[in-house]
């Protein structure tokens, strides 16, 4: 008996050595710049950068057979990223690579637009070629918002995001969920105007399609063109339901219709219900929540063509729901809640095709592309040529169902997940940033000067475009007035600059050390 037991133990040990106790997790590398690195989020400690969208993705996937490694470096552009690509990516031998760079570090605004875009795209292509030569699947992160973008800068961002579609790689939409219509961050949700706050990183993360990674490893390919199809007749007996696979905030539902007939859209969310009915000349909206029931009716709804697109777009960060008829917003209203279930139905019938569901809000230019029959796939979770199709074409595990029992089971499960998630989030530590006091530009300009310190050299304070800028050892950043003589930097090192009463010297506090500089 002992010999048999010993033999079994030896065989088990051999199998463990040979095959392992469990399959090796698939490796994902996030390769980007400051936003991808988590700048400047807080999880366990203020500014620990562990609550960025990439770290949220790591925690989401850790029990799903994936290992996420963040190789992002603040300040990187495509030139510097390309130089470290072999060491940071190729030597790690990942299964999947997420490249997340943007144009803010590429010279946008200071170099010709075409030069910026061309260099960005050329370097991305070089990285993709290197990765694919080593059997690494590639995902691209779109360009994202920035409060310093001018109108012209934002046009360049939009052009670049459109060009990213042509790479035939999955694209994570980092813009739609966390941007206003001008390419800026939603109000009061930026760390320093250049980077998102914790909430912004959360919205960027929630725009990532959950099943993307498995589908990509299963060799499902990205579509960048609509597949030709005929309109399908949808009748009264066939409502269709969608429940998100995991928590989803923003979304966009888009479909093409033949003539304007009876179409009903229902949104069940964590605070109530929303019903939207579109008929040939009328639009009715019924909202039910804890505040009661509201009804909005619009008449004289007009379309110049027999072929139309209907788009329902919800941006959670901006708390706004839009309804588009083709390129025109026909209704908008505020809403603040997490979606639980979406459905399409009719009391009569309608003709439809090309149903698209995005795990992100879409900006008007992206919706215009769809209306011009250009398939925009950044953030796409469901693509059905016809609503009754069993196979959906986007890179995800999601689809619609016409089984209300299954839909309600998924909905209840999602509601419990959202409740648990919100409870966990409410128990997390809250870190408050310093608040700048009001100070006129004239007074700010009075703090300009050059101060010398034996250790760090020149401490230079300049005033440019209404901002007070601190430059030490070649590094420049904006500083903000904390009091009449103390300024602070929004920086993980908690850097402060204190002026003497007559401004003949300054005390720079950084990294736990103090450096006193005397005015030149």
């Amino acid at each position: 008996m002992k010999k048999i037991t010993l033999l079994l133990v030896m065989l088990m040990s051999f199998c463990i050595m040979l095959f392992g106790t469990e399959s090796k997790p698939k490796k994902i590398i996030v390769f980007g710049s400051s936003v991808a690195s988590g700048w400047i989020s807080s999880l366990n400690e203020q500014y620990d950068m562990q609550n960025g969208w990439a770290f949220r993705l790591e925690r989401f996937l850790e029990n799903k057979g994936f290992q996420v490694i963040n190789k992002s470096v603040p300040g990187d552009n495509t030139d510097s990223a390309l130089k470290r690509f072999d060491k940071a990516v190729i030597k790690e031998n990942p299964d999947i690579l997420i490249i997340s760079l943007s144009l803010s570090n590429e010279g946008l605004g200071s170099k010709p637009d075409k030069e910026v875009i061309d260099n960005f795209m050329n370097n991305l292509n070089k990285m993709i070629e290197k990765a694919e030569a080593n059997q690494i699947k590639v995902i691209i992160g779109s360009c994202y918002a920035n409060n310093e973008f001018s109108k012209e800068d934002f046009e360049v961002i939009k052009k670049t995001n459109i060009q990213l579609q042509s790479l035939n790689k999955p694209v994570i939409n980092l813009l739609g969920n966390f941007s206003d219509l001008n390419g800026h961050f939603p109000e009061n949700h930026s760390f320093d105007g250049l980077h998102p706050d914790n909430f912004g990183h959360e919205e960027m993360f929630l725009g990532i399609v959950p099943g993307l990674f498995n589908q990509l490893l299963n060799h499902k390919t990205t579509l960048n063109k609509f597949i030709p199809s005929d309109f399908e007749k949808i009748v009264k007996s066939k409502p269709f339901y969608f429940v998100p696979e995991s928590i989803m905030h923003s979304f966009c539902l888009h479909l093409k219709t033949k003539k304007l007939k009876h179409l009903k859209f229902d949104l069940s969310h964590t605070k109530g219900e929303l019903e939207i009915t579109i008929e040939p000349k009328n639009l009715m909206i019924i909202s039910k929540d804890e505040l009661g029931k509201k009804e909005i009716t619009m008449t004289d709804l007009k379309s110049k063509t027999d072929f139309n697109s209907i788009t329902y777009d919800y941006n959670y960060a901006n708390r706004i729901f839009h309804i588009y008829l083709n390129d025109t917003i026909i209704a908008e209203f505020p809403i603040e809640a997490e979606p639980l279930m979406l459905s399409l139905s009719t009391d009569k019938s309608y003709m439809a095709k090309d149903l698209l569901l995005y795990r992100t809000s879409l900006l008007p230019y992206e919706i215009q592309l769809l209306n011009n029959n250009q398939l925009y796939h950044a953030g796409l979770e469901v693509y059905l040529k016809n609503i009754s199709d069993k196979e959906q074409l986007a890179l995800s595990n999601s689809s619609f169902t016409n089984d209300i029992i299954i839909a309600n089971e998924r909905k209840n499960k999602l509601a419990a997940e959202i409740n648990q998630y919100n409870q966990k989030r409410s128990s997390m530590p809250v870190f408050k940033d310093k608040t700048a006091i009001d100070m006129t530009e004239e007074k700010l300009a009075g703090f300009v000067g050059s101060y010398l310190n034996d250790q760090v050299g020149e401490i230079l304070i300049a005033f440019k475009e209404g901002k007070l800028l601190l430059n030490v050892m070649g590094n420049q950043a904006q500083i903000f007035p904390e009091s009449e003589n103390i300024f602070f930097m929004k920086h993980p090192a908690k850097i402060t600059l204190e002026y003497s009463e007559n401004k003949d010297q300054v005390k720079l506090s950084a990294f736990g050390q103090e450096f006193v500089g005397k005015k030149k």
Side-chain angles (χ1 to χ4, degrees):
M1 185 71 179
K2 288 182 179 180
K3 289 183 178 180
I4 295 174
T5 303
L6 181 60
L7 179 61
L8 288 172
V9 170
M10 290 174 65
L11 284 171
M12 287 174 63
S13 299
F14 177 74
C15 289
I16 289 172
M17 282 194 325
L18 188 61
F19 302 110
T21 55
E22 57 184 24
S23 60
K24 184 180 179 182
K26 299 295 183 181
K27 186 187 291 187
I28 300 172
I29 283 186
V30 178
F31 185 73
S33 52
S34 55
V35 173
S37 75
W39 195 285
I40 187 73
S41 61
S42 304
L43 179 61
N44 299 309
E45 296 180 6
Q46 191 171 27
Y47 307 149
D48 61 13
M49 293 173 53
Q50 297 299 303
N51 228 352
W53 67 259
F55 289 102
R56 292 171 187 263
L57 179 65
E58 177 185 358
R59 294 190 288 272
F60 177 77
L61 292 176
E62 63 184 354
N63 295 321
K64 296 177 174 63
F66 290 95
Q67 175 192 18
V68 179
I69 300 172
N70 199 331
K71 291 285 186 175
S72 302
V73 173
D76 247 6
N77 56 27
T78 54
D79 289 326
S80 56
L82 193 56
K83 290 176 182 177
R84 65 183 185 90
F85 191 84
D86 287 354
K87 182 177 180 181
V89 177
I90 303 302
K91 286 188 177 180
E92 289 285 343
N93 192 30
D95 299 279
I96 295 174
L97 168 66
I98 302 174
I99 304 174
S100 180
L101 298 155
S102 191
L103 299 185
S104 298
N105 298 329
E106 294 284 323
L108 179 62
S110 62
K111 295 180 181 178
D113 295 346
K114 187 176 185 306
E115 180 184 331
V116 170
I117 296 175
D118 287 350
N119 189 67
F120 185 79
M121 296 300 296
N122 288 338
N123 283 339
L124 278 184
N125 274 308
K126 289 176 183 176
M127 294 181 210
I128 292 169
E129 288 173 8
K130 280 175 171 282
E132 292 186 336
N134 288 272
Q135 291 74 53
I136 302 169
K137 302 285 188 180
V138 179
I139 298 170
I140 306 294
S142 74
C143 297
Y144 37 82
N146 188 311
N147 283 353
E148 294 194 353
F149 284 159
S150 65
K151 182 179 179 181
E152 293 74 22
D153 293 338
F154 188 41
E155 289 302 314
V156 179
I157 293 294
K158 292 191 285 188
K159 287 179 183 177
T160 306
N161 278 348
I162 292 171
Q163 285 200 30
L164 290 177
Q165 309 294 303
S166 66
L167 297 175
N168 295 327
K169 307 301 169 197
V171 178
I172 297 172
N173 194 328
L174 298 173
L175 179 66
N177 274 12
F178 198 60
S179 169
D180 64 15
L181 296 180
N182 301 307
H184 298 155
F185 295 124
E187 189 174 359
N188 299 322
H189 283 300
S190 167
F191 173 74
D192 55 5
L194 307 177
H195 304 90
D197 60 1
N198 271 20
F199 173 77
H201 278 287
E202 179 178 40
E203 294 309 296
M204 287 179 165
F205 158 68
L206 289 175
I208 301 174
V209 176
L212 168 62
F213 308 100
N214 277 321
Q215 292 290 350
L216 190 59
L217 292 178
N218 289 336
H219 306 292
K220 192 171 184 180
T221 56
T222 302
L223 293 175
N224 61 4
K225 292 181 181 179
F226 281 104
I227 296 177
S229 61
D230 295 324
F231 283 92
E232 174 188 26
K233 186 174 183 179
I234 310 299
V235 297
K236 180 178 180 180
S237 61
K238 283 190 174 183
F240 296 88
Y241 307 94
F242 173 82
V243 179
E245 178 185 345
S246 62
I247 297 171
M248 178 176 76
H249 279 176
S250 299
F251 68 85
C252 183
L253 178 66
H254 176 95
L255 75 160
K256 294 184 178 73
T257 63
K258 191 174 182 180
K259 295 188 177 181
L260 278 177
K261 293 206 171 182
H262 190 281
L263 174 62
K264 186 179 178 185
F265 169 82
D266 288 278
L267 170 64
S268 174
H269 54 78
T270 50
K271 294 185 179 179
E273 302 283 336
L274 179 68
E275 300 175 6
I276 301 169
T277 304
I278 296 178
E279 295 186 332
K281 294 184 179 179
N282 300 317
L283 169 69
M284 177 175 285
I285 302 169
I286 300 175
S287 177
K288 304 172 186 175
D289 57 29
E290 66 267 26
L291 299 177
K293 179 178 177 181
K294 297 178 184 177
E295 292 190 19
I296 302 172
T297 303
M298 297 175 60
T299 58
D300 296 326
L301 195 62
K302 295 179 180 179
S303 172
K304 298 179 181 178
T305 174
D306 286 343
F307 300 94
N308 301 280
S309 67
I310 307 295
T311 306
Y312 307 94
D313 187 90
Y314 176 48
N315 191 298
Y316 183 87
N318 293 306
R319 308 299 198 250
I320 193 75
F321 192 101
H322 284 128
I323 306 170
Y324 288 78
L325 174 59
N326 301 319
D327 293 342
T328 304
I329 295 174
I330 57 175
E332 68 175 42
F333 47 94
I335 184 171
E336 182 180 352
E338 294 97 335
L340 293 173
M341 183 167 70
L342 289 63
S343 70
L344 289 170
S345 60
T346 182
D347 286 341
K348 298 175 184 177
S349 68
Y350 65 95
M351 302 288 287
K353 69 172 186 173
D354 294 335
L355 174 65
L356 307 175
L357 178 68
Y358 293 82
R359 181 174 276 266
T360 178
S361 171
L362 292 189
L363 291 169
Y365 83 96
E366 296 168 312
I367 293 172
Q368 288 170 10
L369 290 172
L370 297 177
N371 294 334
N372 290 328
N373 208 35
Q374 298 178 57
L375 179 59
Y376 194 80
H377 58 77
L380 182 62
E381 185 158 0
V382 176
Y383 170 24
L384 297 171
K385 297 197 311 317
N386 293 117
I387 298 178
S388 61
D389 288 351
K390 292 183 178 180
E391 179 187 8
Q392 73 94 358
L393 303 168
L395 271 70
S396 83
N397 305 319
S398 306
S399 195
F400 280 66
T401 178
N402 57 12
D403 189 325
I404 184 60
I405 296 176
I406 291 175
N408 278 328
E409 287 176 353
R410 293 175 181 172
K411 174 185 170 183
N412 293 335
K413 182 179 178 182
L414 178 63
E417 182 185 347
I418 290 173
N419 184 55
Q420 184 180 20
Y421 178 85
N422 288 338
Q423 285 182 355
K424 183 178 179 180
R425 183 169 54 181
S426 65
S427 66
M428 291 175 63
V430 177
F431 303 100
K432 292 185 178 180
D433 295 322
K434 291 181 179 179
T435 303
I437 64 171
D438 290 330
M439 190 172 286
T440 65
E441 290 190 3
E442 182 181 1
K443 195 167 183 180
L444 283 173
F447 289 91
V448 168
S450 177
Y451 300 80
L452 292 179
N453 175 270
D454 293 338
Q455 294 167 280
V456 298
E458 184 180 30
I459 302 171
L460 179 65
I461 299 95
F463 183 75
K464 184 179 180 181
E465 298 178 353
K467 300 175 182 177
L468 202 61
L469 304 173
L470 170 66
N471 192 315
V472 182
M473 300 178 70
N475 297 300
Q476 180 176 282
Q478 185 178 1
I479 54 175
F480 303 85
E482 180 179 345
S483 67
E484 290 296 324
N485 69 319
I486 300 177
F487 290 77
F488 69 95
M489 183 189 298
K490 291 184 176 180
H491 186 282
K494 301 180 182 178
I495 293 174
T496 61
L497 188 73
E498 183 176 356
Y499 284 81
S500 62
E501 188 175 349
N502 58 4
K503 300 180 185 176
D504 63 341
Q505 70 177 30
V506 295
K507 181 171 67 176
L508 177 66
S509 301
F511 306 104
Q513 300 184 59
E514 293 183 352
F515 308 93
V516 176
K518 293 185 178 181
K519 194 165 188 177
K520 290 174 64 175

